[in-house]
Amino acid sequence: MAKEMQKNSMYIEQNDPEGDIRKDFLDDDGTWVTASAHIITAVIGSGVLSLAWAIAQLGWVAGPAVLMAFSFITYYTSTLLSDCYRSPDPVTGKRNYTYMDVVRASLGGRSVQLCGLAQYGNLIGVTIGYTITASISMVAVKRSNCFHRHGHHVKCYTSNNPLMIIFACIQIVLSQIPNFHKLSWLSILAAVMSFAYSSIGIGLSIAKVIGDGPHATTLTGTTVGVDVSASEKVWRAFQAIGDVAFAYAFSTVLVEIQDTLKSSPPENKSMKRATAVGVTTTTLFYIMCGVMGYLAFGNDAPGNFLTGFGFYEPFWLVDFANACIAVHLIGAYQVFCQPIFGFVEKWCNKRWPENKFITSEHGINVPCYGVYHVNSFRLVWRTAYVIVSAVLAMIFPFFNDFVGLIGAASFWPLTVYFPVEMYIARTKIRRFSFTWVWLKILIWSCFIVSLVALVGSVQGLIQSLKTYRPFQAVQEE
């Protein structure tokens, strides 16, 4: 009888060790299919657009090798992280609702604060990056139509800022979706869009190669003395590694995605299956987009390879692809900002539990939807966040440098260090055993790679700032 009552109730309140009342979502109905959609939405985003440029910097040998290495590492560490959702037992243990909760249960101490800093810093950076990318894609549509109407000799400059404002207005509305559990429909739509524009990009690249022949490519990428100087070659290679790291960034929301799954079959089993599907699918698309984009544009591959087709016909297909990017990023933005919203709102509710502005909700009848509960604090705070992220995107509209910086800074702690260290702690692996040594080598090898990528991205951002002219339209050429 007790089990039946528990099954039929919407929430079961639990007291965690710190005395905080938590809600266990027993009505979660997510499956590995919806989790795969969340992963694909999070992963196949703006990162795929820069892969042709990244391979152009690294060449035919290092480029695909780096892609495969990051895909394997991401999949392996994600399976370790998925086992930490419940603790101490991965199947029957207590749920941990966020990445910080997982770290608190497995490692504790200062690691929790460091995890929060890395995770939420990354999420903020991604939302800013997606605002930049969406505006670039929308600008590409306007430029493509301008070229078609007036000819390719016209410069067709368009400001990114009005389109960033439009993107922000859409996000203000969507940000009122209460939580991650209500995002499945948006993630599925966004995943379909990601497949659409990736496929179009691959098709256009193949058509360009067939029509014009392959552009100049080399085993080592851009040529010193011809395409770049020796120092530029090094910095760009470092930045390209950061771009690839960003292209696989979804560990920041993995725990939140897993929290949407049904408890039967066990969440860790469903999440591992979703991770395998998501990472395999995205790696396949990444290789095709990167390789075909490099063949189409050679060592002159643009930072956003779809914007490079703005000069080519059929212009309507290019417009459709860039429109798909914008729609996809509308959903992806929500996937990454919902954990930020949840964290701040939970903290404020705990800090000021008697404040009616923060805690009270008002029911509003919405046609074709039913009763929607409006929370004044949620409305104000989420709107303010979207506005601030849009303003920051206008100030720093440098796509390649920005995604490389975010990827380099967050890949190591969130995708490698914490999952591996939690696995070591949870399974009590003996120090200096073969497995312990191998995992430590993985941690510190990835740290060196991330540090190198971070340095390259910072240098690229500095160079972009030096040459940036405010109020001039920024285009990815």
Side-chain angles (χ1 to χ4, degrees), residues 110-143:
R110 193 172 295 275
S111 295
V112 181
Q113 286 73 35
L114 293 175
C115 170
L117 182 64
Q119 181 188 11
Y120 294 106
N122 170 264
L123 292 173
I124 292 169
V126 169
T127 56
I128 296 170
Y130 280 2
T131 304
I132 297 170
T133 313
S135 71
I136 290 173
S137 296
M138 289 187 282
V139 162
V141 172
K142 297 188 70 173
R143 293 183 70 204

Side-chain angles (χ1 to χ4, degrees), residues 31 71 143 206 269 275 314:
T31 65
S71 68
R143 293 183 70 204
I206 294 172
K269 182 178 180 180
T275 299

Side-chain angles (χ1 to χ4, degrees), residues 282-294:
T282 54
T283 300
L284 180 62
F285 270 87
Y286 281 178
I287 291 176
M288 288 193 293
C289 287
V291 167
M292 294 312 304
Y294 185 34

Side-chain angles (χ1 to χ4, degrees), residues 389-410:
S389 65
V391 170
L392 290 174
M394 294 177 194
I395 297 173
F396 301 107
F398 313 117
F399 174 68
N400 265 1
D401 306 308
F402 204 83
V403 299
L405 181 65
I406 297 168
S410 62

Side-chain angles (χ1 to χ4, degrees), residues 23 90 96 120 154 181 201 270 288 291 307 315 329 379 414 472:
K23 291 183 178 179
N96 298 298
Y120 294 106
V154 180
H181 300 259
S270 296
M288 288 193 293
V291 167
T307 62
F315 82 100
L329 292 179
L379 177 64
L414 298 173
Q472 178 173 308

